[in-house]
Amino acid sequence: MSLSTITALSPLDGRYATKLAALRPIMSEHGYMHRRVQVEVAWFIALSDAGFAEFKPLTTGARAYLLGLVKNFSEADAAAIKEIEKTTNHDVKAVEYWIKSKFEARPELEKASEFVHFACTSEDINNTSHALQLRSGRDQVVLPGLDRIVLKLREMAHAFADVPMLSRTHGQTASPTTVGKEMANVVMRLQTACEKIAAVKIMGKMNGAVGNYNAHLSAWPEFDWEAFSQKVIETPEPLGLGLTFQPYSIQIEPHDYMAELFDAVARANTILIDLSRDIWGYVSLGYFKQRLKAGEIGSSTMPHKVNPIDFENAEGNLGLANALLKHLSEKLPVSRWQRDLTDSTVLRNMGVALGYATLAYASLLTGLNKLEINEENLAEDLDAAWEVLAEPIQTVMRRFGVQGAYEKLKEVTRGKTVTAEALHGLIQSLEIPQAEKDRLLAMTPGSYVGKAAELARRV
């Protein structure tokens, strides 16, 4: 059976393949190979500038050619590396051999070919490549996906700032809010979560087999290899990697920053699971309608249905993403002694975790863009919940020292169908200033929203 979108084992490369086009070049094995080539080339060029008599500085033409290998890296190049790997049975060594093969007929580079992968352990290349992948995945896909959701929610917060809505604490009628304020709540939470994601320092190390520069110092004992490594890692691209230097490690970079990053993404995802479930509920209550799409079917047997499928898809895929992200963050910082390989196969699933998250962000945004406010249903719901005004009435009663205010309102409203007339009768009987009576009598469930509109517009 040939591999295609309908034979792919993962729906990310099957049913949903077209929705992940932006992530695939970054987090796929092709993306991993691309970054390995980038790291090897950066290290090689830097070695030529280190001042060693045995490796003179490369000419401008040689540098341009090497950087071109990175810039123009193609699927054919990745396939060629995979072909070499069939013989080496070692993916990093295959990258090294592929780079050396590109030196043929270039005497300057052929002469220096043994400085490709010089003094490096495979993990020096792998950890920095993973770091480059994660930085690109975060900055080019994950954060932009979250930013689009924040932008849409902010738009909704402002547009619906004045639209009153009945709150439902514990699923029961509660003090009214506005639709915009509820969107603003999520905007603020999500913005904070995005700041945490963006703030994670993406780290890398290039310090040899157990983190001590053993091989490096055996070649040039007097050279400051730690400073050199830090320079390669922190110098901006393309001559460096533009990462944060990790000075202490075993054979592998400790992966603590990865755990921090994955936990931060999972936190954002959890906020969106909360949002997806709430919107699903609001659609069920009729607070929102969903714009119809021609030809779309909600149920195979019930023609009337317009299912909130985008929010359901988002919730499901966010759950899958978080399950993987949780495993990554718990497993990756743990390595037996100076190295075991349990992280290697797990790391290959970073793109899967971020893929499910990316897919969920797209589904959620699609769902949000389909929503239409149903002010009529919102107003009807509020008009049937006059009991929520028990709160302001008893609060004003307390202000003026009316004894047993809470208890009196509890007796009149708890578990009962409360009408405007009943509340107005109670208000008229209160021994409070007439101006306060008039203010309470003018109040409706739809007007009792506090600072909700102001707060909604502030985000």
Side-chain angles (χ1 to χ4, degrees):
M1 182 179 289
S2 61
L3 180 62
S4 69
T5 55
I6 58 172
T7 61
L9 190 60
S10 166
L12 297 180
D13 292 319
R15 184 180 185 89
Y16 305 124
T18 58
K19 296 182 179 182
L20 296 169
L23 192 64
R24 191 167 288 106
I26 299 169
M27 300 305 300
S28 63
E29 187 168 9
H30 171 274
Y32 190 20
M33 289 182 183
H34 189 185
R35 295 306 150 207
R36 282 165 158 168
V37 171
Q38 179 183 351
V39 173
E40 294 278 15
V41 165
W43 184 257
F44 183 76
I45 292 174
L47 284 170
S48 82
D49 291 330
F52 301 138
E54 295 83 354
F55 190 7
K56 301 296 184 183
L58 293 167
T59 62
T60 301
R63 292 167 192 265
Y65 174 74
L66 289 167
L67 293 175
L69 295 179
V70 179
K71 183 178 179 180
N72 302 315
F73 190 80
S74 66
E75 287 188 44
D77 293 328
I81 293 173
K82 289 297 289 184
E83 192 63 30
I84 296 170
E85 188 184 344
K86 290 179 181 178
T87 300
T88 63
N89 198 30
H90 195 288
D91 47 3
V92 176
K93 207 65 179 175
V95 171
E96 177 189 339
Y97 288 172
W98 179 82
I99 291 172
K100 288 179 176 178
S101 75
K102 294 297 181 179
F103 291 1
E104 293 176 7
R106 293 180 176 272
E108 178 185 1
L109 294 176
E110 283 185 314
K111 182 180 178 182
S113 63
E114 287 308 310
F115 285 98
V116 177
H117 199 69
F118 182 82
C120 290
T121 185
S122 296
E123 188 57 22
D124 288 336
I125 310 304
N126 289 344
N127 89 93
T128 45
S129 297
H130 283 133
L132 292 169
Q133 285 183 286
L134 284 174
R135 185 182 63 192
S136 294
R138 177 189 67 179
D139 296 349
Q140 296 176 30
V141 181
V142 173
L143 284 175
L146 290 170
D147 287 343
R148 284 189 285 271
I149 294 171
V150 169
L151 187 65
K152 179 61 183 178
L153 291 173
R154 182 180 290 113
E155 175 190 304
M156 295 173 70
H158 295 169
F160 306 140
D162 294 304
V163 179
M165 181 181 89
L166 188 63
S167 294
R168 293 179 180 272
T169 59
H170 309 283
Q172 310 300 308
T173 57
S175 303
T177 182
T178 70
V179 176
K181 169 54 169 46
E182 297 315 294
M183 299 301 110
N185 292 339
V186 185
V187 169
M188 295 306 295
R189 294 177 69 193
L190 201 53
Q191 281 185 161
T192 299
C194 288
E195 289 168 4
K196 299 291 187 184
I197 295 169
V200 175
K201 294 180 179 179
I202 309 296
M203 305 190 77
K205 73 94 184 177
M206 298 188 78
N207 53 15
V210 292
N212 300 327
Y213 304 95
N214 305 48
H216 308 68
L217 290 167
S218 71
W220 279 283
E222 306 304 321
F223 188 72
D224 190 345
W225 284 104
E226 184 177 15
F228 176 80
S229 176
Q230 182 171 1
K231 184 178 179 181
V232 174
I233 287 169
E234 294 190 342
T235 296
E237 297 173 283
L239 292 179
L241 305 179
L243 303 171
T244 299
F245 179 62
Q246 171 61 271
Y248 285 86
S249 78
I250 51 176
Q251 186 172 111
I252 64 170
E253 197 283 328
H255 301 329
D256 294 328
Y257 87 83
M258 290 186 177
E260 184 182 355
L261 177 63
F262 297 144
D263 284 341
V265 174
R267 179 64 56 84
N269 292 348
T270 298
I271 293 168
L272 295 181
I273 289 173
D274 193 24
L275 172 67
S276 297
R277 291 176 179 174
D278 279 356
I279 297 292
W280 186 96
Y282 292 144
V283 171
S284 179
L285 290 171
Y287 289 178
F288 289 110
K289 295 183 288 187
Q290 298 178 98
R291 275 192 291 276
L292 301 178
K293 185 177 179 181
E296 195 169 73
I297 293 171
S299 168
S300 61
T301 61
M302 295 175 281
H304 67 282
K305 294 187 73 179
V306 184
N307 296 332
I309 188 171
D310 298 301
F311 301 102
E312 293 169 339
N313 281 348
E315 180 183 343
N317 286 308
L318 288 165
L320 281 167
N322 278 9
L324 287 166
L325 291 167
K326 180 179 179 181
H327 179 66
L328 287 166
S329 68
E330 290 181 351
K331 187 275 152 297
L332 290 176
V334 179
S335 183
R336 294 175 184 85
W337 297 337
Q338 284 70 48
R339 175 66 161 129
D340 71 48
L341 271 175
T342 55
D343 69 320
S344 180
T345 189
V346 171
L347 284 164
R348 292 181 185 275
N349 289 278
M350 296 189 302
V352 180
L354 297 183
Y356 279 116
T358 302
L359 180 61
Y361 303 158
S363 295
L364 182 54
L365 187 62
T366 297
L368 291 172
N369 282 322
K370 285 182 183 178
L371 294 179
E372 293 179 347
I373 198 79
N374 189 341
E375 293 194 48
E376 183 179 347
N377 274 23
L378 285 160
E380 287 179 2
D381 222 16
L382 285 162
D383 198 46
W386 280 81
E387 66 271 16
V388 299
L389 295 185
E391 181 185 51
I393 294 169
Q394 65 101 1
T395 304
V396 173
M397 289 167 69
R398 286 185 171 197
R399 173 188 169 186
F400 290 101
V402 177
Q403 295 298 310
Y406 179 86
E407 288 72 22
K408 288 180 180 179
L409 267 296
K410 177 181 175 183
E411 183 180 341
V412 173
T413 61
R414 192 164 191 249
K416 299 178 181 178
T417 300
V418 180
T419 63
E421 292 74 22
L423 284 180
H424 287 173
L426 175 64
I427 293 168
Q428 292 287 17
S429 70
L430 297 176
E431 294 182 5
I432 60 175
Q434 187 61 45
E436 295 301 319
K437 287 184 181 182
D438 292 342
R439 190 165 62 85
L440 290 174
L441 289 168
M443 192 177 291
T444 67
S447 69
Y448 179 54
V449 294
K451 291 182 65 170
E454 178 188 338
L455 292 167
R457 289 192 180 89
R458 191 185 296 171
V459 298

